[in-house]
Amino acid sequence: MNTIQTTLHPSRRRLLAGAAAVSGLALAGCATGGASGPSIGRVVIVGGGFGGATTARYLRMWGGNVDVTLVERNASFVSCPMSNLVVGGYKQIGDITRSYEGLKAMGVKVMQGEVVAVDVGSKKVRLASGAELPFDRLVLSPGVDFMNDQVGGLTAALDSGRVVHGWKAGPQTVALRKQLMDMPDGGVFAMSIPRAPYRCPPGPYERACMVASYLKTAKPKSKVLVMDANPEITSKKGLFERAFAQHYAGIIEYRANAELREVSGTVAKFDFEEVKADVLNVIPPQRAGDIARTAGLVNVNNLWVGMDWLTMEASAAKGIHVLGDATFSAPAMPKSGHMANQHAKVAAAAIIQLLKGEPVSATPVVMNTCYSFVTAKDVIHVASVHQYDDKDKTFKPVPGSGGVSSAANQIEGRYALSWADNIWDDMLA
Ligand SMILES: Cc1cc2nc3c(=O)[nH]c(=O)nc-3n(C[C@H](O)[C@H](O)[C@H](O)COP(=O)(O)OP(=O)(O)OC[C@H]3O[C@@H](n4cnc5c(N)ncnc54)[C@H](O)[C@@H]3O)c2cc1C
């Protein structure tokens, strides 16, 4: 098994300074690591992923003295970014798992549990255990949940474990890797991509490359069938097409406009084709995480949370801040870990300012970079910068900013691994 080594570690301090500057959020008199004195307010955060963990950390760093409680259902954080490397066999699940000890050391109260109800009026959340937590401000960063009922037989197929999604990292990632290793040479690995928007636009195509990279050497008679409900590759199209042709000709077959309708065992019925797979990897259609719906915040297409982007509050409820994948994305804004991390910084600054009765920043700027491995070492990126537009009350891409790699290359392979180390530290260290 190959294990990719991280060789480049840009200083975390540099990344943090850059993050604050690019977000336009430097706060006068920022404390680092929390402070003494009377609490300026109680903030409860639901979800310890990219958005929630970053908010917790930055509230403690920037907040003077904010009382921060983070509720997360899982005992530790497992990263979706880099999880495709686990599927391909180039990393182990432990390499993408981090604990919440760093946040605890910063004074965040970390509770493992499931939030099952939000009482907006009386400002408290209820956990499955029955415990109640009062808040002055609430942050929800629950990620996505799946609409399995939109595909016939999918719920039963996922419940049986015969079909896995691998779109929330953890046991599903490990199960998908195991299915791939157990697949016979000459077998078919079929994956289904839902209609956009879904979390991580380039993620499915990176996964196809990682699976094909493994099969190319371990089981060269096998095929990867990429069945895409979208009319074309949704991100870094030209670069992925080049990677498919250059590295995986005869292995990856790509079909557009192929929406999954029904699953039975590992037989999948798409719009114009039926596929019998040895491994069937279904990425289900997605919407905002359940707790956003339970809280009554989902008000766009019955799927996503409409936003006040200046404060990151839900448009349906003042005082409740929603981040990351659960939001109805601003124009050209991806659902990514990097973007959730940026949302978190806008929210942390706004929460502190609101708790202090000060005006929030009127000119936030956020950015995104998303790396994708196309071989074990070669990587491509897409980047963008988004500036708040006061007239239209949303973030808009800054003309001329960002772009994509000119070609896949190994330098970006090292940048990608460093990006992951840095953002995990920026959330959790
Ligand atoms: C295969 C793959 C590859 C990806 N690669 C990249 C990449 O390279 N770069 C990038 O920027 N992004 C990438 N992403 C996207 C990224 O993972 C998501 O956009 C990001 O996780 C969104 O952050 P979030 O805070 O909205 O949700 P999450 O990070 O998913 O966090 C949500 C958390 O909330 C918890 N939770 C939910 N509901 C409750 C509840 N009721 N009570 C308690 N806890 C709850 C969940 O357990 C979870 O830990 C990738 C995604 C996938 C699937």
Side-chain angles (χ1 to χ4, degrees), residues 46-52 71-74 77 79-84 100 113-116 141-145 166-169 199-200 203 206-207 290-291 323-326 335-340 368-372 419 423:
V46 181
F50 278 86
V71 188
E72 164 58 49
R73 64 163 70 100
N74 296 319
F77 166 78
S79 177
C80 284
M82 305 296 139
S83 67
N84 283 331
Y100 289 107
E114 178 84 21
V115 172
V116 292
S141 194
V144 291
D145 272 307
W167 220 242
K168 291 187 183 186
R199 84 172 0 170
C200 194
E206 176 187 59
R207 176 169 292 172
D290 285 341
I291 193 67
L323 317 176
D325 290 352
K335 293 191 184 300
S336 74
H338 196 141
M339 187 51 75
N368 181 70
T369 307
C370 195
Y371 293 102
S372 303
W419 171 89
I423 202 160

Side-chain angles (χ1 to χ4, degrees), residues 122-208:
S122 59
K123 293 195 165 184
K124 44 188 190 198
V125 299
R126 195 173 76 246
L127 276 66
S129 64
E132 290 189 334
L133 296 173
F135 60 81
D136 296 308
R137 295 206 157 253
L138 176 66
V139 177
L140 300 182
S141 194
V144 291
D145 272 307
F146 300 134
M147 298 187 287
N148 296 334
D149 53 356
Q150 290 202 347
V151 178
L154 182 56
T155 303
L158 287 168
D159 286 350
S160 75
R162 188 68 189 85
V163 173
V164 295
H165 54 76
W167 220 242
K168 291 187 183 186
Q172 282 274 320
T173 315
V174 175
L176 188 58
R177 172 67 190 156
K178 180 162 186 329
Q179 289 192 354
L180 186 59
M181 288 201 308
D182 292 346
M183 191 176 98
D185 192 6
V188 173
F189 180 102
M191 59 187 292
S192 161
I193 305 172
R195 273 179 205 261
Y198 56 84
R199 84 172 0 170
C200 194
Y205 314 104
E206 176 187 59
R207 176 169 292 172

Side-chain angles (χ1 to χ4, degrees), residues 35-389:
S36 55
S39 165
I40 62 168
R42 290 165 305 186
V43 179
V44 171
I45 301 171
V46 181
F50 278 86
T54 308
T55 310
R57 188 164 179 273
Y58 274 76
L59 281 173
R60 292 297 297 163
M61 282 207 304
W62 285 347
N65 195 9
V66 183
D67 184 338
V68 183
T69 303
L70 173 69
V71 188
E72 164 58 49
R73 64 163 70 100
N74 296 319
S76 45
F77 166 78
V78 187
S79 177
C80 284
M82 305 296 139
S83 67
N84 283 331
L85 292 177
V86 177
V87 176
Y90 300 109
K91 288 241 179 227
Q92 302 291 324
I93 196 77
D95 299 330
I96 62 167
T97 303
R98 294 285 182 278
S99 84
Y100 289 107
E101 292 305 314
L103 287 183
K104 289 181 193 166
M106 290 197 69
V108 177
K109 292 171 201 128
V110 180
M111 292 178 71
Q112 188 180 355
E114 178 84 21
V115 172
V116 292
V118 176
D119 188 333
V120 178
S122 59
K123 293 195 165 184
K124 44 188 190 198
V125 299
R126 195 173 76 246
L127 276 66
S129 64
E132 290 189 334
L133 296 173
F135 60 81
D136 296 308
R137 295 206 157 253
L138 176 66
V139 177
L140 300 182
S141 194
V144 291
D145 272 307
F146 300 134
M147 298 187 287
N148 296 334
D149 53 356
Q150 290 202 347
V151 178
L154 182 56
T155 303
L158 287 168
D159 286 350
S160 75
R162 188 68 189 85
V163 173
V164 295
H165 54 76
W167 220 242
K168 291 187 183 186
Q172 282 274 320
T173 315
V174 175
L176 188 58
R177 172 67 190 156
K178 180 162 186 329
Q179 289 192 354
L180 186 59
M181 288 201 308
D182 292 346
M183 191 176 98
D185 192 6
V188 173
F189 180 102
M191 59 187 292
S192 161
I193 305 172
R195 273 179 205 261
Y198 56 84
R199 84 172 0 170
C200 194
Y205 314 104
E206 176 187 59
R207 176 169 292 172
C209 289
M210 289 298 89
V211 169
S213 172
Y214 164 72
L215 294 175
K216 190 174 171 177
T217 45
K219 299 170 190 183
K221 289 186 244 148
S222 308
K223 286 233 176 305
V224 179
L225 209 47
V226 182
M227 307 296 284
D228 195 341
N230 299 288
E232 58 181 14
I233 291 175
T234 57
S235 176
K236 307 178 218 179
K237 176 172 183 269
L239 290 162
F240 276 118
E241 283 174 345
R242 210 182 306 164
F244 290 179
Q246 192 178 339
H247 300 290
Y248 309 118
I251 300 178
I252 292 183
E253 283 180 31
Y254 175 81
R255 310 245 215 289
N257 295 312
E259 187 152 12
L260 182 60
R261 300 296 179 187
E262 206 178 320
V263 175
S264 171
T266 56
V267 176
K269 281 191 192 147
F270 295 89
D271 276 337
F272 303 107
E273 200 173 341
E274 186 170 294
V275 171
K276 167 86 186 85
D278 294 276
V279 176
L280 180 59
N281 175 209
V282 176
I283 303 168
Q286 295 163 33
R287 58 168 168 73
D290 285 341
I291 193 67
R293 175 175 300 257
T294 309
L297 307 179
V298 169
N299 57 1
V300 181
N301 302 332
N302 205 22
L303 298 174
W304 308 108
V305 177
M307 296 296 296
D308 172 347
W309 290 107
L310 262 193
T311 59
M312 299 299 303
E313 288 167 295
S315 58
K318 284 275 166 210
I320 304 191
H321 303 257
V322 181
L323 317 176
D325 290 352
T327 61
F328 177 61
S329 304
M333 182 178 269
K335 293 191 184 300
S336 74
H338 196 141
M339 187 51 75
N341 167 278
Q342 297 274 292
H343 287 174
K345 290 168 187 171
V346 177
I351 288 167
I352 293 163
Q353 285 155 333
L354 290 163
L355 286 173
K356 289 181 172 171
E358 295 171 358
V360 303
S361 165
T363 55
V365 180
V366 295
M367 51 89 69
N368 181 70
T369 307
C370 195
Y371 293 102
S372 303
F373 283 80
V374 297
T375 72
K377 290 195 168 146
D378 296 290
V379 163
I380 55 181
H381 82 268
V382 57
S384 51
V385 180
H386 307 254
Q387 163 92 59
Y388 184 74
D389 180 293

